[in-house]
Amino acid sequence: MAEVLVLVEHVDGAVKKVTYELLTLARRIGEPAAVLVGAGADAAIGGLAEYGAATVYVADAAELSAHPVAPKAEVLAKLVAEKAPAAVLVASTAEGKEVAARLAVRSGSGVITDAVDVSADATATQSIFGGATVVKSKVTTGTPIITVRTNSVAPEAAAGAGARVDVSVELSAAARSATIVDRVVQAKGGRPDLAEAAIVVSGGRGVGGAEGFGVIEALADSLGAAVGASRAATDAGWYPHQFQVGQTGKTVAPQLYVANGISGAIQHRAGMQTSKTVVVVNKDPEAPIFELADFGVVGDLFQVVPQLTEEITKRKG
Amino acid sequence: MREVDSETMKIVVCVKQVPDSWAEKTLGADNTLDRGSVDAVMNELDEYAVEEALRLQEAHGGEVIVLSMGPSQTTDTIRKALSMGADSGVHVIDDGLHGSDAVATSLALAKAIEGRGADLVIFGSESTDARMSVVPAMVAERLGLPQLTFSSSVSVEGSTVRTNRVTEYGYDVVEASLPALVSVVEKINEPRYPSFKGIMAAKKKKVETVDLAGLGVSADQVGLAGSWSAVEEAAARPPKAKGTIVTDDGAGGTAIADFLSAQKFI
Ligand SMILES: Cc1cc2nc3c(=O)[nH]c(=O)nc-3n(C[C@H](O)[C@H](O)[C@H](O)COP(=O)(O)OP(=O)(O)OC[C@H]3O[C@@H](n4cnc5c(N)ncnc54)[C@H](O)[C@@H]3O)c2cc1C
Ligand SMILES: Nc1ncnc2c1ncn2[C@@H]1O[C@H](COP(=O)(O)O)[C@@H](O)[C@H]1O
């Protein structure tokens, strides 16, 4: 059976859930092989095997982490050339899409981004125009390279051998030509990762200020959710930029999205439109966000949200 | 490596014409975006790329060339960049390009950039129609240029360019020697509006048109036939059932909790 390469998303070996989703999808197409670039293989391999990785290719030379994007593409390109996999699956993050882009050019392959499903013959389902149209696409030349959105499939465990195979790559001069000279990590807090969370609770201009986000965070914590924000809220400095949801922020597709004090501008909707269930609290009955709501309350969020939080806490007992 | 002095700093900025983001978008019979039926505008995110190019020019001197690939109405988008202040335009236009995917687009753009002696090539971070965010990385790969994408700040000093690359948890500071390729995010600046004077001046600026032969690209490398991915079928998603909207009467929070319980979220 041909291999299906899955690029592992991880921080120092702490593997992100999306990787297990990709391994689950990969099993439909062939034999999953995880590709781990960077340090932390020892911590990662157990989980990767648990979700079906027969092989774990490890490229952990320090040099690979010193440059953005290109080294990962070159590791994958080498494996594509050597192993002729049936497909390559990468998470649809900003960096993942760029890795896929470079790999496509390097390996002479087509690329499909933002798939929400992948079938056994590597046909990708995409949801385009803000979810209004569903298309099925195929790569017609080279190795299918597909980036898949988080939360597209429920990760299912299926034991794999998880055999470690070390890979070394001679980076091209071009890959070394841009260098990361500093990494700045901004506070994240103890909540689930925004892009991966099953529930996202967001606040917008209606929250009124940084203190107002206390109400949003309390609701999020009662649900075990991540916190998101509209651009109006992040631009005003009420909430950090990396929590912005939308066209120029993160794209999220959680099981539940709760929008509070957000009007529903097209740029915001672009980042949350494919959420499975949407709940809206807004005092303006004309706010376009209500068009997406499965359940909406026209009212003041400072009344509705604390009551909701209290009710959830009570019911969860 | 190349020292930038004010006489020679040359910036190519890539802009795409897209359907207005509010417009109802549809696919045509060949499963490509129906561009004829909607108002076309400059990709909103490329305005930030043009603005950043102009700011760098204001700081360092030199020249800003705007590059766009697309059908004939693309000249409007090129004119807009010229009226913001860019010096000249390059319009890649050929019927054979219709239906090009990202890989094919990146080939045409790379060929159009190659040989122009650009110190910096600047892109927007995403086109609002394709939403792929892949073309800048592909062009960097093709041209062997250092890739400094998703930049929330860009500065040039001597022959070094330094950017902040937005990441999942903050940002990376990335450095490279010129020539280099940059893409910018919308946090980077506030794009200017074209002034009346700018609009008048733009009418006299030169826009060069280039076809496939001029790029040295053969017809089978681009367009629908030369694209390496294809849309096989498309269907409108069945419209979402209308949700329940209630007005808060003092028990709005409880009403949501009831809904969430029924949906098994609590
Ligand atoms: C290039 C570009 C990129 C962009 N990218 C993004 C993006 O990624 N993400 C994004 O979100 N936006 C983005 N935007 C901005 C977008 O156009 C909107 O301006 C923004 O989403 C509005 O945020 P908002 O809904 O919080 O604010 P508003 O539109 O001001 O809406 C606030 C809402 O809160 C309601 N409200 C007020 N007080 C209360 C209260 N006490 N209780 C209940 N409801 C209340 C109001 O009725 C209103 O509907 C982008 C814009 C541009 C130009
Ligand atoms: N046809 C085109 N002409 C010029 N620039 C383009 C074109 N297509 C994409 N770009 C550039 O590539 C960026 C990313 O586009 P995309 O990868 O399609 O999301 C855009 O913001 C533009 O700067």
Side-chain angles (χ1 to χ4, degrees):
Chain A
M1 198 172 14
E3 283 186 326
V4 178
L5 301 181
V6 168
L7 180 65
V8 177
E9 285 270 320
H10 71 109
V11 179
D12 294 329
V15 176
K16 299 212 177 174
K17 188 180 91 195
V18 65
T19 302
Y20 301 138
E21 296 168 4
L22 297 185
L23 288 169
T24 303
L25 288 172
R27 289 204 297 272
R28 296 180 183 168
I29 308 170
E31 183 179 81
V35 181
L36 190 133
V37 180
D42 291 341
I45 287 175
L48 297 171
E50 193 184 327
Y51 283 89
T55 310
V56 181
Y57 295 110
V58 177
D60 59 3
E63 183 192 36
L64 300 174
S65 305
H67 312 283
V69 185
K72 287 184 177 141
E74 295 193 359
V75 170
L76 287 172
K78 180 177 174 170
L79 289 167
V80 166
E82 285 174 5
K83 313 286 172 193
V88 181
L89 304 184
V90 180
S92 243
T93 57
E95 194 194 52
K97 293 207 273 187
E98 293 198 320
V99 169
R102 294 190 73 116
L103 173 63
V105 169
R106 231 180 152 73
S107 66
S109 304
V111 60
I112 292 169
T113 58
D114 289 302
V116 294
D117 200 9
V118 184
S119 65
D121 66 349
T123 300
T125 305
Q126 291 164 292
S127 171
I128 61 168
F129 304 155
T133 303
V134 179
V135 302
K136 297 208 175 195
S137 309
K138 261 192 113 150
V139 167
T140 52
T141 300
T143 306
I145 298 166
I146 302 172
T147 79
V148 184
R149 285 206 183 143
T150 51
N151 289 330
S152 293
V153 69
E156 283 165 28
R164 174 176 177 150
V165 177
D166 287 284
V167 181
S168 68
V169 175
E170 179 74 33
L171 286 186
S172 71
R176 284 202 223 95
S177 64
T179 301
I180 299 169
V181 295
D182 194 15
R183 276 179 213 279
V184 180
V185 176
Q186 288 161 337
K188 175 171 170 270
R191 298 193 179 81
D193 194 277
L194 176 56
E196 303 213 318
I199 304 179
V200 175
V201 176
S202 279
R205 201 192 309 272
V207 170
E211 326 75 58
F213 266 88
V215 174
I216 303 298
E217 289 183 327
L219 174 58
D221 291 343
S222 75
L223 287 163
V227 173
S230 73
R231 182 172 171 206
T234 57
D235 273 3
W238 302 345
Y239 220 68
H241 270 298
Q242 68 263 37
F243 296 99
Q244 181 177 318
V245 171
Q247 164 130 58
T248 51
K250 298 222 159 68
T251 298
V252 300
Q255 297 299 324
L256 173 64
Y257 188 88
V258 187
N260 304 288
I262 292 175
S263 65
I266 196 137
Q267 295 92 345
H268 186 79
R269 290 158 62 146
M272 48 69 67
Q273 205 138 15
T274 51
S275 303
K276 313 288 179 298
T277 301
V278 176
V279 169
V280 169
V281 180
N282 194 305
K283 65 182 183 191
D284 173 10
E286 303 298 325
I289 189 85
F290 278 117
E291 291 164 20
L292 299 180
D294 295 286
F295 194 86
V297 171
V298 179
D300 183 350
L301 72 91
F302 291 102
Q303 304 294 324
V304 177
V305 173
Q307 185 182 67
L308 171 58
T309 308
E310 200 188 311
E311 198 61 35
I312 291 168
T313 312
K314 206 159 74 195
R315 292 186 195 190
K316 282 193 164 173
Chain B
M1 219 182 289
R2 159 173 187 147
E3 275 298 316
V4 169
D5 68 60
S6 54
E7 299 305 306
T8 58
M9 171 115 160
K10 194 187 256 190
I11 302 175
V12 171
V13 52
C14 291
V15 303
K16 184 180 185 184
Q17 189 173 56
V18 297
D20 187 358
S21 24
W22 282 105
E24 195 72 36
K25 279 169 266 191
T26 51
L27 293 175
D30 61 355
N31 280 338
T32 64
L33 181 63
D34 186 351
R35 294 182 191 274
S37 64
V38 289
D39 284 344
V41 296
M42 184 192 296
N43 178 28
E44 198 166 37
L45 296 172
D46 295 344
E47 293 180 19
Y48 300 85
V50 175
E51 177 65 34
E52 200 57 25
L54 295 172
R55 289 187 187 194
L56 287 165
Q57 183 191 36
E58 280 154 14
H60 300 282
E63 137 181 48
V64 175
I65 302 169
V66 46
L67 167 64
S68 191
M69 165 181 138
S72 60
Q73 70 264 28
T74 303
T75 46
D76 296 343
T77 285
I78 295 175
R79 286 285 162 212
K80 173 159 186 192
L82 295 178
S83 58
M84 287 171 76
D87 298 295
S88 64
V90 177
H91 183 179
V92 176
I93 175 167
D94 197 300
D95 289 344
L97 286 163
H98 171 78
S100 294
D101 66 0
V103 176
T105 300
S106 71
L107 175 66
L109 292 177
K111 290 284 182 191
I113 293 163
E114 211 171 47
R116 282 184 198 275
D119 299 290
L120 265 185
V121 185
I122 307 186
F123 287 80
S125 51
E126 179 177 288
S127 58
T128 56
D129 56 349
R131 298 210 60 202
M132 291 184 77
S133 293
V134 294
V135 168
M138 287 178 175
V139 173
E141 172 74 40
R142 287 187 186 280
L143 295 175
L145 288 174
Q147 176 190 330
L148 301 93
T149 44
F150 292 106
S151 307
S152 59
S153 79
V154 178
S155 62
V156 174
E157 240 173 85
S159 60
T160 303
V161 55
R162 176 189 268 254
T163 65
N164 289 349
R165 171 180 171 85
V166 176
T167 63
E168 208 72 356
Y169 296 120
Y171 61 92
D172 288 349
V173 182
V174 184
E175 246 179 43
S177 294
L178 298 175
L181 181 147
V182 165
S183 82
V184 303
V185 299
E186 97 296 347
K187 300 185 222 326
I188 196 167
N189 59 39
E190 199 51 63
R192 67 194 69 186
Y193 289 103
S195 64
F196 179 69
K197 217 175 111 211
I199 294 168
M200 296 315 286
K203 295 193 190 301
K204 298 200 193 69
K205 290 177 178 169
K206 201 172 132 253
V207 178
E208 172 191 340
T209 58
V210 191
D211 62 7
L212 285 176
L215 292 177
V217 170
S218 66
D220 59 359
Q221 291 176 287
V222 292
L224 272 178
S227 290
W228 295 348
S229 57
V231 174
E232 305 212 307
E233 57 179 87
R237 180 190 294 272
K240 205 171 166 171
K242 248 201 147 10
T244 309
I245 313 292
V246 301
T247 301
D248 184 32
D249 55 0
T254 312
I256 298 177
D258 290 343
F259 172 79
L260 294 181
S261 295
Q263 301 287 318
K264 309 242 181 327
F265 286 110
I266 25 179

